[in-house]
Amino acid sequence: MNCGSKYTFVQDDEEEELVLDNNIFFQGAQQPQQQQQQQQQQQQQQQQQQQQQQQPRGFFGNIFGRSQTTSAPSPMSPAPGINGASPTPLKARVKKATTNVLVVNLGTVAKESSIQTGDGYFCKKCNCGFSNINALKEITLSDGKKHPNIPTNGGFDGYKTWKCEFCNEENEIIIDKEEIPTTNIIDYILESEPIGDVDNNNNNNNNNKTKEEKEKEEKEKNEKDHSFVIFCIDISGSMEVTQSVNNLSIPSSLVSSMSIHNEPEPLEKPLLTKVNYVSRLQCVQIGLLHQIESIAEKYPNKRVGIVTFNDKVTLVGDGSTEPVIISDRSKLLDLSQLVEEGGLLSMTNPISKTKNSLLEKVKALRGNGSTALGSAVATCVGITSGGSRGSQIIICTDGQSNMGLGATEAPEKQQMVFEQIAHMAQRNGTSISVLTIKGTDTKLEVIGKLANNTGGEVNIMDPINLNDGFKEILSLPTLATNVSVKLFLHYGLYVNDYNNSTTTTTTTTTTTTTTKNNNNNTAKSYVERIIGNVNQDTTISFEYGVKSSKLIDKSLKSIPFQLQIFYTTLTGKKCVRMITQTQEITTNSDLAEEHANIEALGINMVQTSSKIAQTGDYEQSRAKNCAHAGLMQKIMLKKKQSARTDSDELDSMSNYMQQAQDIETQLSHTVSIEKSFSSSEDRLKSRQQNRDDATANMIYNMSNMNSAKSKKKFI
C-alpha cells in the first residue's frame, strides 16, 4: 500500500463551500482550446480582476485565503466561457481534502510473497487478520522498499492472547511458532490448483535472477500460455466508410486493383500499396494482421480466433474449420443459446498452427449490414468459458448494437444484458476490452461496462491507430482472476466508498449544494470491493477520515492498516494476500503535507472524481476534483519553496493536474449545454443514460487511473 503521506492526519473532518463556474483552469495543466483562442481577450479582464482584491475569484481564493496580489501562483485561473456561454456559478459543499489516502497496485499479486503455514487467525470482532505487526522491526512496502515499523496498540503476548490492533478486542489463539508471521506481507493458500495444473504464472521472484534467466523464464511461461484471444469485429456496412490519407502504405492483399485502376489484378502484387483513402475495416484488418503475427511469435500456444458481426454473427474461429453462422433472429436474442453455440466451437489448435489460415480469413473480411454486437459478444464469452483463465476478448466497433441481443431500443434492458454478459466473463476469468472508432456514436456508456466490469480496457481510436490499440490491450495480460479486497482501518477511522457513492443534491436556479450522506460516527472502519480480473497496471485507491478524534488515544504513535487481497491464480489456486502496515500519527496538517506522496494523491483525486461522475452527480464530482487539486497545488507550492521537489515529482504533478483539468472541462461543458430537469433524480438518470462516448471514455479510463494512464489523453 502506498500512502498519501508519511503521516496519518488525525483531526475531525471539516467541510468547505466551493464556488464553481464554467471557467475553472488548474495551473500545471494545458488550457482547453477554447480558452487558448480567447487568451488575449482574457488578459485585460484578469488585470481588472486583480485590482478587485476584496472580491473572491473562484473557490481557490477561498481555499488559500490570499488576495490576487500575492506572489504565489493560484492553482486555478479564470478562463473564457465554453462555447461563449457566460458562466453560471454553482456552490457545493465538500469534505476538505487531506492526505489521508491509500493506493494499491493489485498487479503485485503476481510477485512472490511469504507463504504462511496454517489457516490464519481472524479477530472475532472486526475480522482483521492476525499479523503480529507489533513484533516486526521493519515493514516492506509494495515497491519493495523497507521502512522501520512504528508499533501501535495491542499485539500478541507470545503465548495465547492477541489484542487486536484495530479494535482492541482480546482474542485467544492457539498457534505454533512456525505459524507466527515474520513479515508484514504474507499469503495463505485457501485452495490448491486442480490436479494436473502447475502454477507457472504467479509468484515468480525475479529479484535475484540475471537478465538471461529472466528472459528464459518469461519465454517458458509464454509457451505454456494456452489462453484464448478472441477478436470480436464489427463488419457492418458503416465499417466500409473511408477517410482521406496521404499515400498510406497498406498490405496489397487488402486492396482491390480492379476497384482502384479498373483493371484486373496482376499475377504478382507488391507487398505494400500506397492509397489515398482507407476504410475503417481495412484499418482493423491491418491491426489484426500485425497482432496475429506478434502473438504467434511470442505466445505460440495461445488459441486465437475471430468472431464477426453485422446482421448475423459469424464464428470464424481459428480459421481451421468452416465458419458457424448464426442468422436466426430468435437465436440472436437468446443469451443462453448464444453462449452455448460459442462453447460448441472447436478451437483446440495453437496459433503456431493456425496463423496462416487465420491471416487469410482476416484478409477476406468485407463490410455490410447492421450491428448485432451483443449477440456476438455472448458467443465470444461462450468460446472462452471452457478455456484457460486469463483469456481476452477484444471488441472493435463503430456503431450501436441495433439488432439482436442488447439492441438500443430499450436502455434499461440493454444495460442489464451487457452487465449480465460481463458477469459471466468475469466469473470465467475472461477480460473484455472495447475499441471504438473516433467520431462515431457507439453508446460507449453501455458497452463500456463489459470492460469496466471485467478488468479490460476502453478506448476511442482514430482508425489509423487501431493497431496500437490492439497492441496496448494485448500488452496487459491478466495476472489473477476473481480478485476482491477488504480494507481494515483502526476503529477511530472510517473509509469512504465511492464505488457505492450515494449523494443528495439540492438545486436552485443559480446554486447547487451537494453533500454526501455520511455520518462519521456510524461509518464503517472497513470496506470490501469486488475487482474481478487484474493486470500489471490495475490500481485502486481509498480515501479515509476520522470518525472522531476522541476515539484515537493521544498516546498512540501509529495507526494500523490491513489489506486482504483474495485472488485466484491463472492455474486455479485460490489465495489471500494479507498486507499489514502502520503509519505515524500527526495532528499537524503542515507536517502531513510536507511528507505527501503526489503520485498517490493524484491517482486518488482522478479516480474519486470520476467514480462520483459515473453516478451522474457532476456537481459533487467537480467539487471533489477541485478540492483535491487545490490541496495538491498547495503541497507542490510548499515543496518548491523549500527546494524539496525533483523532476519526477513535477512531471507526476503536471500529469495529474492535466487529468483533473480534463475532468473539469468535460463536465462543465456537459452541464452548460444540458436541458433543465424537474428533479435531481431525473438529472442523474439522464446523465447516465444519455452520456456521449467522449465523456464515457474519459470517465471509464479515469475511474481506473494509474501511473501509466496518467501520461495519456482521454478527451
Side-chain angles (χ1 to χ4, degrees):
M1 290 183 285
N2 290 322
C3 302
S5 171
K6 176 184 176 182
Y7 296 91
T8 290
F9 176 51
V10 177
Q11 180 178 295
D12 293 340
D13 286 351
E14 295 180 3
E15 283 192 342
E16 57 186 341
E17 185 177 86
L18 305 180
V19 179
L20 308 175
D21 57 32
N22 291 343
N23 305 321
I24 294 172
F25 170 62
F26 302 123
Q27 287 197 1
Q30 295 181 359
Q31 285 183 303
Q33 185 176 2
Q34 299 98 324
Q35 297 174 3
Q36 293 177 359
Q37 292 173 348
Q38 302 179 47
Q39 185 65 41
Q40 290 182 347
Q41 298 177 10
Q42 193 65 18
Q43 287 178 352
Q44 185 176 359
Q45 297 176 15
Q46 288 177 354
Q47 291 174 358
Q48 295 173 354
Q49 289 171 346
Q50 287 174 350
Q51 297 173 2
Q52 300 171 357
Q53 297 181 19
Q54 302 303 318
Q55 182 177 350
R57 191 186 67 171
F59 67 92
F60 275 108
N62 297 330
I63 289 178
F64 299 117
R66 57 175 183 256
S67 69
Q68 302 303 328
T69 57
T70 179
S71 59
S74 65
M76 175 210 69
S77 301
I82 295 178
N83 292 339
S86 60
T88 303
L90 304 173
K91 291 182 180 180
R93 293 196 65 82
V94 66
K95 174 190 168 185
K96 192 172 182 179
T98 72
T99 57
N100 288 343
V101 164
L102 296 172
V103 171
V104 183
N105 178 1
L106 293 175
T108 57
V109 295
K111 296 181 180 179
E112 185 179 74
S113 72
S114 173
I115 302 297
Q116 195 67 29
T117 60
D119 297 325
Y121 294 86
F122 298 87
C123 176
K124 61 186 178 183
K125 182 178 180 181
C126 71
N127 208 36
C128 75
F130 172 62
S131 64
N132 201 33
I133 186 67
N134 279 345
L136 305 181
K137 293 184 178 181
E138 61 182 13
I139 57 175
T140 303
L141 302 183
S142 57
D143 58 6
K145 295 180 180 178
K146 295 184 181 295
H147 289 265
N149 182 41
I150 310 296
T152 185
N153 276 0
F156 182 48
D157 65 1
Y159 297 97
K160 63 177 182 179
T161 302
W162 162 42
K163 185 177 181 181
C164 179
E165 298 87 353
F166 292 81
C167 69
N168 290 333
E169 181 74 11
E170 289 194 354
N171 299 269
E172 185 175 321
I173 60 175
I174 301 174
I175 188 169
D176 294 332
K177 183 178 180 180
E178 59 271 16
E179 293 180 316
I180 299 175
T182 57
T183 179
N184 67 303
I185 303 178
I186 56 177
D187 274 21
Y188 287 101
I189 298 176
L190 305 178
E191 185 179 312
S192 299
E193 55 263 275
I195 297 175
D197 285 336
V198 179
D199 194 348
N200 293 302
N201 297 287
N202 287 76
N203 293 345
N204 293 314
N205 190 352
N206 289 328
N207 292 337
N208 300 318
K209 295 179 180 178
T210 65
K211 179 181 178 181
E212 290 75 17
E213 289 174 329
K214 291 179 182 179
E215 291 176 349
K216 180 181 179 182
E217 186 177 84
E218 183 73 13
K219 182 179 179 181
E220 291 175 350
K221 185 182 74 171
N222 291 346
E223 289 176 349
K224 294 175 181 177
D225 186 350
H226 295 81
S227 63
F228 287 109
V229 174
I230 307 297
F231 294 100
C232 186
I233 305 300
D234 184 347
I235 58 167
S236 62
S238 59
M239 289 296 286
E240 292 289 1
V241 171
T242 62
Q243 68 182 72
S244 175
V245 291
N246 185 20
N247 283 330
L248 178 69
S249 295
I250 69 173
S252 297
S253 56
L254 303 182
V255 180
S256 169
S257 295
M258 181 72 76
S259 63
I260 294 179
H261 304 293
N262 198 29
E263 60 184 29
E265 297 186 10
L267 295 177
E268 292 188 12
K269 297 174 65 176
L271 292 177
L272 296 175
T273 298
K274 290 186 176 181
V275 298
N276 292 318
Y277 289 91
V278 64
S279 72
R280 295 168 181 171
L281 184 56
Q282 284 175 319
C283 292
V284 173
Q285 290 171 298
I286 293 169
L288 292 178
L289 294 176
H290 279 290
Q291 296 312 312
I292 289 171
E293 292 277 7
S294 177
I295 295 171
E297 180 180 352
K298 189 173 181 180
Y299 300 95
N301 291 309
K302 271 186 180 286
R303 290 169 286 175
V304 181
I306 295 173
V307 171
T308 64
F309 59 92
N310 44 21
D311 48 11
K312 56 182 176 288
V313 174
T314 303
L315 282 66
V316 177
D318 59 18
S320 63
T321 59
E322 285 297 313
V324 176
I325 300 175
I326 305 173
S327 57
D328 182 84
R329 294 300 177 93
S330 61
K331 184 176 284 190
L332 288 173
L333 290 167
D334 192 315
L335 176 59
S336 60
Q337 284 195 54
L338 291 165
V339 173
E340 181 180 359
E341 196 74 54
L344 293 174
L345 183 70
S346 176
M347 272 190 58
T348 58
N349 295 317
I351 185 62
S352 58
K353 292 183 179 180
T354 63
K355 183 186 76 171
N356 291 335
S357 59
L358 196 57
L359 291 174
E360 292 305 312
K361 297 291 185 182
V362 170
K363 297 172 186 177
L365 295 179
R366 298 293 182 270
N368 62 79
S370 303
T371 311
L373 187 153
S375 305
V377 181
T379 64
C380 293
V381 172
I383 294 172
T384 63
S385 63
S388 303
R389 296 171 187 83
S391 293
Q392 292 178 292
I393 297 170
I394 305 176
I395 303 168
C396 186
T397 183
D398 72 341
Q400 299 182 21
S401 180
N402 55 21
M403 71 167 294
L405 192 66
T408 53
E409 59 268 15
E412 290 84 1
K413 185 177 179 181
Q414 181 191 37
Q415 180 169 313
M416 182 179 67
V417 165
F418 282 106
E419 287 180 345
Q420 189 174 358
I421 294 173
H423 176 70
M424 296 172 67
Q426 183 190 75
R427 189 175 57 207
N428 297 332
T430 297
S431 66
I432 304 176
S433 294
V434 180
L435 293 178
T436 68
I437 305 299
K438 184 178 180 180
T440 64
D441 178 12
T442 65
K443 203 67 177 176
L444 188 58
E445 172 66 19
V446 175
I447 63 175
K449 293 184 184 298
L450 293 168
N452 200 53
N453 295 353
T454 63
E457 297 293 310
V458 176
N459 215 340
I460 298 175
M461 304 293 299
D462 185 309
I464 300 298
N465 299 323
L466 276 171
N467 180 50
D468 294 334
F470 287 127
K471 182 179 180 180
E472 181 176 353
I473 291 169
L474 291 168
S475 71
L476 294 171
T478 297
L479 300 177
T481 67
N482 303 118
V483 178
S484 64
V485 300
K486 292 180 181 179
L487 176 68
F488 294 87
L489 308 180
H490 182 274
Y491 71 91
L493 306 178
Y494 71 91
V495 59
N496 283 320
D497 186 11
Y498 293 105
N499 280 41
N500 297 294
S501 179
T502 302
T503 60
T504 57
T505 305
T506 305
T507 306
T508 66
T509 304
T510 59
T511 304
T512 299
T513 303
T514 309
T515 58
K516 183 168 177 61
N517 284 336
N518 188 18
N519 184 339
N520 292 352
N521 292 326
T522 60
K524 294 182 178 180
S525 297
Y526 74 93
V527 66
E528 182 173 2
R529 289 187 194 172
I530 297 175
I531 307 298
N533 304 311
V534 302
N535 58 52
Q536 66 187 26
D537 289 343
T538 305
T539 303
I540 58 175
S541 70
F542 301 93
E543 187 178 310
Y544 63 93
V546 179
K547 289 182 182 178
S548 171
S549 56
K550 296 178 181 179
L551 295 176
I552 300 177
D553 192 331
K554 293 182 179 180
S555 65
L556 272 182
K557 293 183 178 179
S558 70
I559 280 184
F561 299 89
Q562 185 176 98
L563 185 73
Q564 298 174 6
I565 308 173
F566 296 82
Y567 65 98
T568 302
T569 70
L570 299 187
T571 55
K573 182 167 66 179
K574 296 181 179 180
C575 306
V576 57
R577 175 161 298 179
M578 200 158 67
I579 305 172
T580 311
Q581 61 191 59
T582 58
Q583 190 175 24
E584 290 183 76
I585 293 174
T586 184
T587 57
N588 184 342
S589 61
D590 288 336
L591 182 61
E593 292 167 6
E594 180 184 344
H595 294 273
N597 181 334
I598 290 295
E599 184 77 12
L601 294 179
I603 288 174
N604 177 72
M605 171 181 66
V606 177
Q607 284 195 7
T608 298
S609 302
S610 301
K611 289 180 188 299
I612 296 173
Q614 281 184 323
T615 69
D617 194 345
Y618 294 166
E619 291 77 22
Q620 176 73 358
S621 173
R622 292 175 64 197
K624 197 73 175 175
N625 189 38
C626 292
H628 280 281
L631 174 66
M632 288 183 64
Q633 184 67 27
K634 178 183 175 184
I635 289 170
M636 285 303 295
L637 184 61
K638 289 181 178 179
K639 286 178 176 285
K640 287 180 179 179
Q641 290 174 342
S642 60
R644 289 184 294 103
T645 56
D646 56 39
S647 59
D648 290 341
E649 199 167 39
L650 289 172
D651 289 344
S652 180
M653 175 70 177
S654 177
N655 291 336
Y656 290 112
M657 292 301 282
Q658 184 62 58
Q659 302 296 343
Q661 182 65 60
D662 289 345
I663 293 173
E664 168 58 27
T665 301
Q666 190 73 9
L667 295 188
S668 63
H669 172 65
T670 300
V671 170
S672 71
I673 63 174
E674 68 184 3
K675 65 179 183 179
S676 60
F677 298 94
S678 58
S679 69
S680 60
E681 183 178 340
D682 289 342
R683 179 172 63 250
L684 300 186
K685 184 177 180 180
S686 177
R687 285 174 177 174
Q688 292 180 70
Q689 291 186 350
N690 301 313
R691 192 170 285 149
D692 61 69
D693 281 11
T695 305
N697 182 59
M698 178 196 75
I699 290 176
Y700 277 131
N701 278 285
M702 292 193 181
S703 64
N704 295 290
M705 181 54 55
N706 54 53
S707 296
K709 284 181 182 288
S710 72
K711 303 174 181 65
K712 301 175 183 177
K713 190 80 171 172
F714 297 107
I715 62 169

